[in-house]
Amino acid sequence: MLDRALGAWIGLRTRWRGLALPIFASPLLPAALLFAIDGNERGVTGAALGFGGSLLAARALRRGRQGDSHRAAWLMAVGTGLSAQMAGHLGIPMSLIMATGALFGTRMMYRALPETAPPPPPEPPPPPPGPIEESRLRLARIEAVAARRGDGKLQGVASAMEGVLDDLTAHPDRLPQARRFLTVHLDGLERIVERLEAGAAPPEGLPILLDDLATTAQELRGRLTREESAALDIQVKVLSDRLREEGFR
Amino acid sequence: MAERNVTSLPVSPPLTTPLVWAWGGVLLTATTWLVGIVALFRSIGGLFG
């Protein structure tokens, strides 16, 4: 019975929490006004800091996250201490006593009220696409334009380059050898496609250039495969020699 | 012996909690509110002093 009554009381206090703090500091408002009429800037500042501290503390308590009641207690302590020193002229020792009292008073007054856990940190953004993925995106745009224009040669170059990208996806270690090729070919193709989309008439040399681009793409694929074959050949020879030296053959 | 699966119930605050709240209120009255009243009297005194 008493537990339930206490629970209901806690619920009520949780709904209204923090709103009492500015009421405790409310005499500072008319004090600030009278200090202002008197031209006492130090008094106005002290009273404003004290009342402002209580407002900030109330705001922190209204948020109700873990650790907010501690924060609110410190804000009240700082506000009360500063107003005691600047507006109340109580001297440093008495101001410190007042600040300590406000700190413990706020802590005690808002004890046992529920606080929610802070929200989880935002998820890190996804990593930027790698060079192959980025090249695929650029190539997809070129392919879309080629398909829309019904340009067979452009589509041929795009599909040859897609073959290179497929090879690089399967063997990413070959990427350093093909990076320059990808940059030159993709940049060139993109510029050509941009001009064609802008309404430029294709020059006479364009079909030959596109043929060259397709051929070099195929040559690159062949070269990369040959290099891989050569590496395997060397590996086989080395292993055979080793077996012979060790007397296994 | 098999261990029993014990789940902890949420701990309800002690029944003396309202007293702690009340003492907190008294402390805030004796500090923050009192500082405000002192400042108010000082400001009135400054006007007529």
Side-chain angles (χ1 to χ4, degrees), chain A residues 181-219:
Chain A
F181 164 85
L182 280 178
T183 309
V184 173
H185 275 58
L186 271 177
D187 282 355
L189 262 184
E190 269 180 343
R191 278 187 206 132
I192 289 168
V193 165
E194 270 172 30
R195 297 278 174 218
L196 289 175
E197 281 289 277
E204 281 178 18
L206 183 64
I208 301 162
L209 175 72
L210 292 177
D211 282 341
D212 284 349
L213 287 174
T215 312
T216 46
Q218 278 151 6
E219 277 174 7

Side-chain angles (χ1 to χ4, degrees), chain A residues 11 13 22-23 34 36 66 105 108 150 170 172 193-194 200 221 224 243:
Chain A
R13 291 215 59 212
I23 295 173
L34 294 177
Q66 222 159 31
M108 286 162 79
V193 165
E194 270 172 30
R221 288 184 76 183
L224 291 174
L243 287 173

Side-chain angles (χ1 to χ4, degrees), chain A residues 60-124:
Chain A
L61 275 172
R62 299 292 305 159
R63 201 168 60 160
R65 293 213 186 119
Q66 222 159 31
D68 277 348
S69 61
H70 268 280
R71 236 163 271 143
W74 277 106
L75 283 167
M76 280 304 285
V78 170
T80 304
L82 286 175
S83 56
Q85 170 64 18
M86 295 173 78
H89 299 283
L90 294 179
I92 290 175
M94 201 59 196
S95 300
L96 286 176
I97 291 170
M98 290 295 180
T100 313
L103 175 78
F104 285 107
T106 312
R107 271 197 198 175
M108 286 162 79
M109 231 183 119
Y110 294 99
R111 177 171 290 183
L113 299 190
E115 291 183 324
T116 54
E123 284 186 21

Side-chain angles (χ1 to χ4, degrees), chain A residues 6-201:
Chain A
L6 182 59
W9 198 355
I10 286 176
L12 193 70
R13 291 215 59 212
T14 305
R15 251 200 312 280
W16 292 87
R17 77 169 137 201
L19 298 183
L21 293 181
I23 295 173
F24 280 110
S26 60
L28 289 169
L29 273 183
L33 186 70
L34 294 177
F35 276 131
I37 292 168
D38 190 29
N40 184 346
E41 287 175 9
R42 188 180 152 90
V44 174
T45 312
L49 285 172
F51 193 72
S54 76
L55 287 179
L56 288 176
R59 186 165 153 251
L61 275 172
R62 299 292 305 159
R63 201 168 60 160
R65 293 213 186 119
Q66 222 159 31
D68 277 348
S69 61
H70 268 280
R71 236 163 271 143
W74 277 106
L75 283 167
M76 280 304 285
V78 170
T80 304
L82 286 175
S83 56
Q85 170 64 18
M86 295 173 78
H89 299 283
L90 294 179
I92 290 175
M94 201 59 196
S95 300
L96 286 176
I97 291 170
M98 290 295 180
T100 313
L103 175 78
F104 285 107
T106 312
R107 271 197 198 175
M108 286 162 79
M109 231 183 119
Y110 294 99
R111 177 171 290 183
L113 299 190
E115 291 183 324
T116 54
E123 284 186 21
I132 298 175
E133 286 76 22
E134 196 195 331
S135 302
R136 270 195 199 283
L137 287 173
R138 292 169 68 187
L139 195 60
R141 282 194 290 272
I142 293 168
E143 277 176 332
V145 173
R148 195 168 60 240
R149 295 175 61 87
D151 192 329
K153 287 208 182 284
L154 205 54
Q155 281 174 316
V157 179
S159 72
M161 288 190 67
E162 202 168 351
V164 175
L165 288 178
D166 287 342
D167 279 3
L168 292 175
T169 307
H171 305 280
D173 53 305
R174 296 180 188 172
L175 186 62
Q177 298 154 39
R179 196 183 289 271
R180 187 161 167 70
F181 164 85
L182 280 178
T183 309
V184 173
H185 275 58
L186 271 177
D187 282 355
L189 262 184
E190 269 180 343
R191 278 187 206 132
I192 289 168
V193 165
E194 270 172 30
R195 297 278 174 218
L196 289 175
E197 281 289 277

